[in-house]
């Protein structure tokens, strides 16, 4: 018994001494070699691009398809005003209308904040610059939807324990977006490492990232034409001289494939198919009673636009028919599901609804149309008519990226542009330019909605559905998340006092009459 007691005492002493002697290396021994101790910048960037393009969590379906796409009358939805029909009939539905606000801050912008914070080392300057540029695109979308939003204080919960960010005035946000683009372009270095496959847009190509940044600069600048023409001209000129996207090879395009994971699929196709145009329903069983709008289909039919059969089908039994004469759009404001619902046009499964379809983030067509406007305003050199024609050609040619079903013969493109030269007064020419912008922006519904609010083109006839929240006018913004009124009330109240009532009809900073 005494022997056991002495042995136990010796063992305990040895254990204490052993612990003391190895204490210096304990922390190193306790580190999981398979767990990263610092953020993987490449992984974060890929994730921010995929999530920024609306994949997962209904961001595209709620914000772009149901809301913005119905506002600008690309699409129409028969459901009631209190739910999915809120975009079609100008109702208020917090869950859909605040989704982009709630989702993007907590996912995409949090990821980008962490990436930029982790990329402070000089050798990561190219990766940091690309991330800053991508953040500009996301933040412009955010502020263009809601107006004044958290910006300078946003996503500082981890670093500053700031859980209640102030809302910045949109004018200040826009000024900083331009500064971010300017600084990021200047910071790129050919001597430092670049993103490779983690960059789903350009594979790290610095020259293309600069063109993307200058193109965003032009987009931001042109948004200010009514509220600050001098600054708009200054920055538009800088962007055009810097070099915007005018060639197909420089377009910002994310390529997808019909793979085993949702991330592999085009988010627009995935969301529309799985949330409304249910596979196998053949035009009859659409969940939200959504179709193409009569406004949009009539525009294409009345101008003999060769894009009609590329984007639109009418189902005849099991056949998705692209015949020109069959196409028919659903009027916005339709109350319920018509008995002949199956006879209305909806997106073509051979192009738009392909899971392997590309996602065009920023196109040369858009840049040609904005460049045309800049020429018309005297802010750039060139021939407006020729630039306008090239923009239409580019918009039509881009459908070939969707596969054989998207190829439009050049002869048809030439016939269309020859019949529609850019002519008339300045207002008439701007109407022509931005009607084409609206057609070319199909699927990029947030951009279509923002550009329509700025220019007023094409002229759309609003609906005045019973119980609408706007008095029968197309909404000018989305309301903030209702939760902000309780969680972040002080800053919410400041934003409303500065910007105006938190309503669909309140115009944001750059949206002047």
């Amino acid at each position: 018994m005494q022997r056991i007691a002495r042995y136990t005492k010796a063992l305990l002493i040895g254990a204490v001494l052993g612990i003391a002697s190895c204490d210096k290396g304990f922390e190193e021994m306790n580190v999981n070699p398979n767990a990263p101790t610092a953020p993987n910048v490449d992984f974060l960037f890929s994730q921010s691009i995929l999530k920024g393009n609306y994949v997962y969590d209904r961001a595209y379906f709620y914000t772009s398809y149901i809301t913005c796409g119905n506002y600008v009358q690309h699409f129409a939805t028969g459901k009631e005003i209190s739910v999915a029909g809120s975009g079609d009939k100008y109702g208020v539905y917090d869950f859909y209308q605040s989704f982009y606000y709630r989702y993007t801050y907590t996912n995409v912008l949090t990821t980008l904040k962490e990436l930029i914070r982790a990329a402070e080392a000089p050798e990561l300057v190219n990766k940091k610059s690309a991330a800053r540029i991508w953040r500009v695109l996301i933040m412009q979308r955010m502020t263009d939807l809601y107006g004044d939003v958290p910006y300078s204080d946003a996503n500082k919960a981890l670093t500053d324990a700031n859980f209640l960010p102030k809302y910045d005035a949109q004018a200040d946000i826009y000024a900083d977006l331009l500064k971010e683009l300017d600084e990021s372009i200047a910071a790129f270095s050919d001597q430092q490492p670049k993103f490779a496959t983690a960059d789903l847009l350009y594979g790290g190509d610095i020259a293309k990232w600069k063109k993307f940044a200058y193109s965003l600069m032009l987009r931001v600048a042109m948004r200010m034409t009514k509220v600050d023409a001098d600054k708009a001209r200054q920055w538009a000129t800088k962007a055009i001289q810097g070099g915007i996207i005018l060639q197909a090879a420089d377009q910002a395009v994310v390529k997808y494939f019909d793979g085993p994971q949702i991330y592999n699929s085009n988010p627009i196709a995935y969301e529309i198919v799985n949330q409304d145009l249910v596979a196998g329903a053949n035009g009859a069983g659409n969940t939200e009673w959504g179709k193409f709008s009569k406004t949009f289909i009539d525009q294409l039919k009345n101008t003999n636009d060769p894009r009609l059969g590329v984007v639109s089908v009418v189902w005849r039994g099991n056949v998705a028919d692209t015949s020109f004469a069959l196409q028919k759009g659903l009027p916005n404001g339709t109350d319920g599901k018509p008995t002949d619902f199956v006879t209305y046009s909806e997106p073509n499964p051979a192009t738009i609804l392909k899971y392997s379809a590309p996602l065009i983030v920023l196109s040369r067509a858009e840049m040609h149309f904005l460049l045309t406007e800049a020429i018309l305003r005297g802010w750039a050199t060139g021939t407006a008519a020729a630039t306008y024609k090239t923009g239409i050609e580019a918009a039509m040619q881009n459908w070939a990226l969707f596969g054989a079903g998207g190829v439009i013969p050049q002869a048809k493109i030439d016939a269309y542009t020859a019949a529609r030269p850019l002519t008339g007064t300045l207002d008439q020419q701007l109407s022509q330019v931005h009607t084409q912008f609206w057609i070319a922006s199909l699927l990029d519904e947030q951009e279509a909605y923002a550009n329509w609010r700025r220019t007023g083109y094409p002229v759309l006839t609003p609906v005045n559905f019973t119980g609408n929240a706007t008095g029968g006018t197309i909404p000018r913004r989305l309301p903030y998340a209702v939760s902000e009124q309780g969680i972040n009330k002080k800053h919410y109240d400041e934003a409303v006092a500065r910007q105006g009532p938190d309503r669909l009809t309140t115009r944001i900073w750059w949206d002047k009459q």
Side-chain angles (χ1 to χ4, degrees), residues 187-243:
F188 277 118
S189 172
D190 289 326
Q191 280 68 54
Q192 298 296 349
K194 301 172 288 187
F195 281 121
T197 55
D199 175 4
L200 304 178
L201 289 173
Y202 293 124
D205 190 313
I206 290 175
K208 291 185 178 182
W209 269 103
K210 287 182 178 180
K211 288 186 178 182
F212 181 65
Y214 278 123
S215 297
L216 286 179
M217 186 183 291
L218 180 59
R219 178 188 281 182
V220 173
M222 298 305 285
R223 204 81 92 226
M224 302 188 297
T225 51
K226 288 185 177 179
V227 72
D228 194 337
D230 287 342
K231 187 173 289 185
R233 174 190 52 78
Q234 171 193 341
W235 283 100
T237 300
K238 184 180 183 71
I240 293 165
Q241 292 176 346

Side-chain angles (χ1 to χ4, degrees), residues 67 85 91 120 123 133 226 383 398 500-501:
T67 303
E120 289 298 330
E123 64 271 18
I133 293 165
K226 288 185 177 179
T383 304
N398 270 346

Side-chain angles (χ1 to χ4, degrees), residues 174 220-233 373 377 379 427 430 434 450-457 476 507-513:
Y174 258 63
V220 173
M222 298 305 285
R223 204 81 92 226
M224 302 188 297
T225 51
K226 288 185 177 179
V227 72
D228 194 337
D230 287 342
K231 187 173 289 185
R233 174 190 52 78
E373 180 181 348
R377 291 180 179 275
W379 298 353
D427 283 344
L430 289 176
H434 291 293
N451 195 65
W452 174 82
R453 283 177 288 160
R454 176 180 76 87
T455 67
Y457 298 121
R476 310 304 297 195
R507 290 175 180 258
I508 59 179
W509 169 69
W510 53 255
D511 182 17
K512 302 302 178 184
Q513 291 177 303

Side-chain angles (χ1 to χ4, degrees), residues 142-444:
M142 179 69 73
T143 187
D144 285 352
L145 285 173
Y146 301 98
D148 296 2
V149 291
Y151 182 75
S152 58
D153 278 356
N155 305 103
K156 287 187 175 180
L158 177 63
T159 56
D160 298 23
N162 184 346
F163 300 99
L164 302 174
K166 69 177 182 181
Y167 288 57
D168 293 81
Q170 188 176 48
D172 296 334
I173 295 172
Y174 258 63
D176 199 70
L177 295 180
L178 291 165
K179 180 182 73 69
E180 282 289 289
L181 291 171
D182 205 24
E183 290 180 357
S184 298
I185 291 168
F188 277 118
S189 172
D190 289 326
Q191 280 68 54
Q192 298 296 349
K194 301 172 288 187
F195 281 121
T197 55
D199 175 4
L200 304 178
L201 289 173
Y202 293 124
D205 190 313
I206 290 175
K208 291 185 178 182
W209 269 103
K210 287 182 178 180
K211 288 186 178 182
F212 181 65
Y214 278 123
S215 297
L216 286 179
M217 186 183 291
L218 180 59
R219 178 188 281 182
V220 173
M222 298 305 285
R223 204 81 92 226
M224 302 188 297
T225 51
K226 288 185 177 179
V227 72
D228 194 337
D230 287 342
K231 187 173 289 185
R233 174 190 52 78
Q234 171 193 341
W235 283 100
T237 300
K238 184 180 183 71
I240 293 165
Q241 292 176 346
I244 58 176
I245 294 170
L246 296 175
Q247 304 300 322
D250 297 324
Q251 296 182 122
V253 179
V254 178
K255 297 178 181 179
Y256 292 91
F257 60 94
D258 190 0
Q261 303 296 326
I262 297 176
Y263 268 122
N264 302 140
S265 301
N266 178 290
I268 295 174
Y270 184 86
E271 285 300 303
I272 294 178
V273 168
N274 286 276
Q275 298 305 312
D276 193 3
L277 312 186
V278 180
N282 296 342
N286 302 8
T287 304
E288 306 297 349
W289 307 342
K291 294 285 185 176
F292 273 128
S293 164
K294 182 178 189 300
T295 305
F296 182 66
I297 295 299
D298 283 357
Q299 168 66 33
L300 300 187
K301 289 192 76 171
N302 293 340
T303 57
N304 200 30
D305 194 314
R307 285 169 285 197
L308 181 60
V310 168
V311 302
S312 177
V313 301
V314 169
W315 285 92
R316 293 188 301 107
N318 295 325
V319 177
D321 198 325
T322 62
S323 299
F324 199 92
L326 280 180
Q327 305 311 312
K328 178 177 68 173
L330 182 70
N332 289 96
T334 296
D335 187 6
K337 187 176 183 180
T339 55
D340 60 347
F341 184 74
V342 73
T343 67
Y344 291 93
S345 299
E346 63 181 45
N348 189 341
T351 52
I352 292 175
L353 300 185
K354 287 173 59 177
Y355 281 11
S356 59
L359 191 148
I360 302 175
V361 178
L362 201 156
S363 73
R364 60 188 175 121
E366 177 188 341
M367 289 299 104
H368 275 93
F369 294 135
L370 293 183
L371 178 58
T372 302
E373 180 181 348
I375 294 171
L376 290 172
R377 291 180 179 275
W379 298 353
T381 59
T383 304
T387 305
Y388 168 73
K389 177 176 179 288
T390 303
I392 298 174
E393 292 172 342
M396 292 188 177
Q397 291 164 356
N398 270 346
W399 284 106
L401 298 175
F402 289 69
V407 175
I408 300 174
Q410 189 62 42
K412 289 188 176 182
I413 297 175
D414 292 342
Y416 181 89
T417 56
R420 286 157 194 85
L422 187 65
T423 59
T425 65
L426 175 60
D427 283 344
Q428 288 171 333
Q429 291 181 77
L430 289 176
S431 176
Q432 291 173 271
V433 169
H434 291 293
T435 296
Q436 289 298 329
F437 188 112
W438 172 74
I439 298 170
S441 297
L442 178 68
L443 305 184
D444 192 356

Side-chain angles (χ1 to χ4, degrees), residues 66-68 70-71 81 83-91 97 332 475:
I66 287 293
T67 303
C68 297
N70 276 258
Y71 287 169
I81 190 174
V83 286
S86 57
D88 181 81
K89 302 169 179 69
Y90 318 150
Q97 292 165 345
N332 289 96

